[in-house]
Short mmCIF file of all heavy atoms in Angstrom, two decimals:
data_model
loop_
_atom_site.label_atom_id
_atom_site.label_comp_id
_atom_site.label_asym_id
_atom_site.label_seq_id
_atom_site.Cartn_x
_atom_site.Cartn_y
_atom_site.Cartn_z
N LEU A 13 6.80 -7.07 -4.08
CA LEU A 13 7.91 -6.51 -3.31
C LEU A 13 7.40 -6.08 -1.93
O LEU A 13 6.36 -5.43 -1.82
CB LEU A 13 8.47 -5.29 -4.05
CG LEU A 13 9.86 -4.80 -3.62
CD1 LEU A 13 10.92 -5.84 -3.97
CD2 LEU A 13 10.17 -3.47 -4.32
N PRO A 14 8.11 -6.43 -0.86
CA PRO A 14 7.69 -5.99 0.48
C PRO A 14 7.63 -4.47 0.56
O PRO A 14 8.36 -3.76 -0.14
CB PRO A 14 8.78 -6.56 1.41
CG PRO A 14 9.37 -7.69 0.64
CD PRO A 14 9.29 -7.32 -0.80
N LEU A 15 6.74 -3.98 1.42
CA LEU A 15 6.53 -2.54 1.53
C LEU A 15 7.82 -1.82 1.89
O LEU A 15 8.11 -0.74 1.35
CB LEU A 15 5.45 -2.25 2.57
CG LEU A 15 5.11 -0.78 2.82
CD1 LEU A 15 4.62 -0.11 1.54
CD2 LEU A 15 4.06 -0.66 3.92
N GLU A 16 8.62 -2.39 2.81
CA GLU A 16 9.85 -1.74 3.22
C GLU A 16 10.81 -1.56 2.04
O GLU A 16 11.42 -0.50 1.86
CB GLU A 16 10.54 -2.54 4.33
CG GLU A 16 9.76 -2.61 5.62
CD GLU A 16 8.72 -3.72 5.59
OE1 GLU A 16 8.55 -4.36 4.53
OE2 GLU A 16 8.05 -3.93 6.62
N ARG A 17 10.94 -2.61 1.23
CA ARG A 17 11.84 -2.52 0.07
C ARG A 17 11.29 -1.57 -0.98
O ARG A 17 12.04 -0.88 -1.67
CB ARG A 17 12.06 -3.92 -0.52
CG ARG A 17 12.84 -4.86 0.39
CD ARG A 17 13.11 -6.19 -0.30
NE ARG A 17 13.87 -5.99 -1.54
CZ ARG A 17 14.14 -6.97 -2.41
NH1 ARG A 17 13.68 -8.21 -2.17
NH2 ARG A 17 14.83 -6.74 -3.50
N ALA A 18 9.96 -1.53 -1.11
CA ALA A 18 9.35 -0.60 -2.06
C ALA A 18 9.65 0.84 -1.66
O ALA A 18 10.00 1.69 -2.49
CB ALA A 18 7.85 -0.83 -2.14
N LEU A 19 9.51 1.15 -0.36
CA LEU A 19 9.82 2.49 0.12
C LEU A 19 11.30 2.80 -0.03
O LEU A 19 11.68 3.94 -0.34
CB LEU A 19 9.39 2.62 1.59
CG LEU A 19 7.88 2.63 1.84
CD1 LEU A 19 7.58 2.55 3.33
CD2 LEU A 19 7.24 3.88 1.24
N THR A 20 12.14 1.81 0.18
CA THR A 20 13.58 2.02 -0.01
C THR A 20 13.89 2.38 -1.45
O THR A 20 14.66 3.31 -1.73
CB THR A 20 14.36 0.75 0.40
OG1 THR A 20 14.10 0.45 1.77
CG2 THR A 20 15.85 0.94 0.21
N ALA A 21 13.29 1.64 -2.38
CA ALA A 21 13.53 1.92 -3.80
C ALA A 21 13.04 3.31 -4.18
O ALA A 21 13.72 4.03 -4.91
CB ALA A 21 12.84 0.85 -4.66
N LEU A 22 11.87 3.70 -3.68
CA LEU A 22 11.33 5.02 -4.00
C LEU A 22 12.17 6.13 -3.38
O LEU A 22 12.33 7.20 -3.97
CB LEU A 22 9.88 5.13 -3.54
CG LEU A 22 8.87 4.26 -4.30
CD1 LEU A 22 7.48 4.41 -3.70
CD2 LEU A 22 8.85 4.63 -5.77
N ALA A 23 12.68 5.88 -2.18
CA ALA A 23 13.53 6.89 -1.53
C ALA A 23 14.82 7.08 -2.32
O ALA A 23 15.29 8.21 -2.50
CB ALA A 23 13.85 6.47 -0.10
N GLU A 24 15.39 6.00 -2.83
CA GLU A 24 16.63 6.11 -3.59
C GLU A 24 16.42 6.75 -4.95
O GLU A 24 17.32 7.42 -5.47
CB GLU A 24 17.24 4.71 -3.76
CG GLU A 24 17.72 4.09 -2.45
CD GLU A 24 18.19 2.67 -2.62
OE1 GLU A 24 18.00 2.12 -3.74
OE2 GLU A 24 18.74 2.08 -1.66
N GLU A 25 15.23 6.56 -5.53
CA GLU A 25 14.96 7.09 -6.86
C GLU A 25 14.38 8.50 -6.84
O GLU A 25 14.21 9.10 -7.90
CB GLU A 25 13.99 6.16 -7.60
CG GLU A 25 14.56 4.78 -7.90
CD GLU A 25 15.77 4.85 -8.82
OE1 GLU A 25 15.80 5.73 -9.70
OE2 GLU A 25 16.69 4.03 -8.64
N SER A 26 14.07 9.02 -5.67
CA SER A 26 13.47 10.35 -5.58
C SER A 26 14.46 11.41 -6.05
O SER A 26 15.61 11.44 -5.59
CB SER A 26 13.02 10.65 -4.15
OG SER A 26 12.04 9.74 -3.72
N GLU A 27 14.02 12.26 -6.97
CA GLU A 27 14.87 13.33 -7.45
C GLU A 27 14.90 14.52 -6.50
O GLU A 27 15.88 15.26 -6.44
CB GLU A 27 14.39 13.78 -8.84
CG GLU A 27 14.46 12.69 -9.90
CD GLU A 27 13.97 13.17 -11.25
OE1 GLU A 27 13.54 14.35 -11.33
OE2 GLU A 27 14.01 12.39 -12.21
N SER A 28 13.82 14.71 -5.76
CA SER A 28 13.73 15.83 -4.82
C SER A 28 14.25 15.40 -3.45
O SER A 28 13.88 14.34 -2.94
CB SER A 28 12.27 16.30 -4.70
OG SER A 28 12.11 17.18 -3.61
N LEU A 29 15.12 16.22 -2.87
CA LEU A 29 15.66 15.91 -1.55
C LEU A 29 14.57 15.88 -0.48
O LEU A 29 14.54 14.95 0.35
CB LEU A 29 16.76 16.90 -1.18
CG LEU A 29 17.45 16.68 0.17
CD1 LEU A 29 18.13 15.32 0.21
CD2 LEU A 29 18.45 17.80 0.46
N PRO A 30 13.65 16.86 -0.43
CA PRO A 30 12.57 16.77 0.56
C PRO A 30 11.73 15.51 0.40
O PRO A 30 11.33 14.89 1.40
CB PRO A 30 11.75 18.04 0.30
CG PRO A 30 12.70 18.98 -0.33
CD PRO A 30 13.60 18.14 -1.16
N GLN A 31 11.47 15.11 -0.84
CA GLN A 31 10.70 13.89 -1.06
C GLN A 31 11.47 12.67 -0.60
O GLN A 31 10.90 11.74 -0.01
CB GLN A 31 10.34 13.78 -2.54
CG GLN A 31 9.39 12.64 -2.86
CD GLN A 31 9.02 12.60 -4.34
OE1 GLN A 31 9.23 11.60 -5.01
NE2 GLN A 31 8.50 13.70 -4.84
N ARG A 32 12.77 12.68 -0.84
CA ARG A 32 13.61 11.56 -0.39
C ARG A 32 13.60 11.46 1.13
O ARG A 32 13.50 10.37 1.69
CB ARG A 32 15.04 11.75 -0.90
CG ARG A 32 15.95 10.56 -0.66
CD ARG A 32 17.35 10.85 -1.19
NE ARG A 32 17.28 11.30 -2.58
CZ ARG A 32 18.12 12.18 -3.11
NH1 ARG A 32 19.06 12.74 -2.37
NH2 ARG A 32 18.00 12.52 -4.38
N HIS A 33 13.66 12.60 1.80
CA HIS A 33 13.62 12.60 3.26
C HIS A 33 12.28 12.10 3.77
O HIS A 33 12.21 11.34 4.75
CB HIS A 33 13.89 14.01 3.78
CG HIS A 33 15.34 14.39 3.71
ND1 HIS A 33 15.80 15.63 4.08
CD2 HIS A 33 16.43 13.70 3.30
CE1 HIS A 33 17.11 15.68 3.91
NE2 HIS A 33 17.51 14.53 3.44
N LEU A 34 11.21 12.53 3.14
CA LEU A 34 9.88 12.11 3.58
C LEU A 34 9.70 10.61 3.44
O LEU A 34 9.24 9.93 4.36
CB LEU A 34 8.82 12.85 2.77
CG LEU A 34 7.36 12.44 3.02
CD1 LEU A 34 6.99 12.66 4.47
CD2 LEU A 34 6.42 13.21 2.10
N VAL A 35 10.06 10.07 2.27
CA VAL A 35 9.91 8.63 2.04
C VAL A 35 10.83 7.84 2.96
O VAL A 35 10.47 6.77 3.46
CB VAL A 35 10.17 8.30 0.56
CG1 VAL A 35 10.03 6.80 0.32
CG2 VAL A 35 9.19 9.06 -0.33
N ALA A 36 12.05 8.37 3.20
CA ALA A 36 12.96 7.69 4.11
C ALA A 36 12.39 7.66 5.52
O ALA A 36 12.54 6.67 6.25
CB ALA A 36 14.32 8.38 4.10
N GLY A 37 11.75 8.75 5.93
CA GLY A 37 11.11 8.77 7.24
C GLY A 37 9.98 7.76 7.34
O GLY A 37 9.82 7.07 8.35
N LEU A 38 9.19 7.64 6.27
CA LEU A 38 8.12 6.64 6.25
C LEU A 38 8.70 5.23 6.32
O LEU A 38 8.18 4.36 7.05
CB LEU A 38 7.29 6.79 4.97
CG LEU A 38 6.48 8.08 4.81
CD1 LEU A 38 5.83 8.15 3.43
CD2 LEU A 38 5.42 8.18 5.90
N ARG A 39 9.77 4.99 5.59
CA ARG A 39 10.41 3.68 5.63
C ARG A 39 10.94 3.36 7.03
O ARG A 39 10.81 2.23 7.51
CB ARG A 39 11.56 3.65 4.62
CG ARG A 39 12.31 2.32 4.57
CD ARG A 39 13.57 2.44 3.76
NE ARG A 39 14.49 3.41 4.36
CZ ARG A 39 15.61 3.84 3.79
NH1 ARG A 39 15.94 3.40 2.57
NH2 ARG A 39 16.39 4.70 4.40
N ALA A 40 11.53 4.36 7.68
CA ALA A 40 12.05 4.13 9.04
C ALA A 40 10.92 3.78 10.00
O ALA A 40 11.07 2.88 10.85
CB ALA A 40 12.78 5.39 9.52
N GLU A 41 9.77 4.44 9.87
CA GLU A 41 8.64 4.13 10.74
C GLU A 41 8.10 2.73 10.47
O GLU A 41 7.78 1.98 11.40
CB GLU A 41 7.53 5.17 10.53
CG GLU A 41 7.85 6.53 11.10
CD GLU A 41 7.91 6.51 12.61
OE1 GLU A 41 7.06 5.84 13.24
OE2 GLU A 41 8.80 7.16 13.17
#
């Protein structure tokens, strides 16, 4: 799986809102 899609999947599956924001920020970068 491409890194961008992997980060997208992890951001969507994150139960913690701060963790979701962090992973989403990494994906955006």
Side-chain angles (χ1 to χ4, degrees):
L13 196 66
L15 180 60
E16 295 83 356
R17 292 184 59 187
L19 290 171
T20 300
L22 291 177
E24 293 174 352
E25 294 298 325
S26 298
E27 298 180 358
S28 168
L29 181 61
Q31 188 178 123
R32 188 181 308 147
H33 284 177
L34 175 60
V35 179
L38 294 174
R39 180 191 62 188
E41 288 292 320

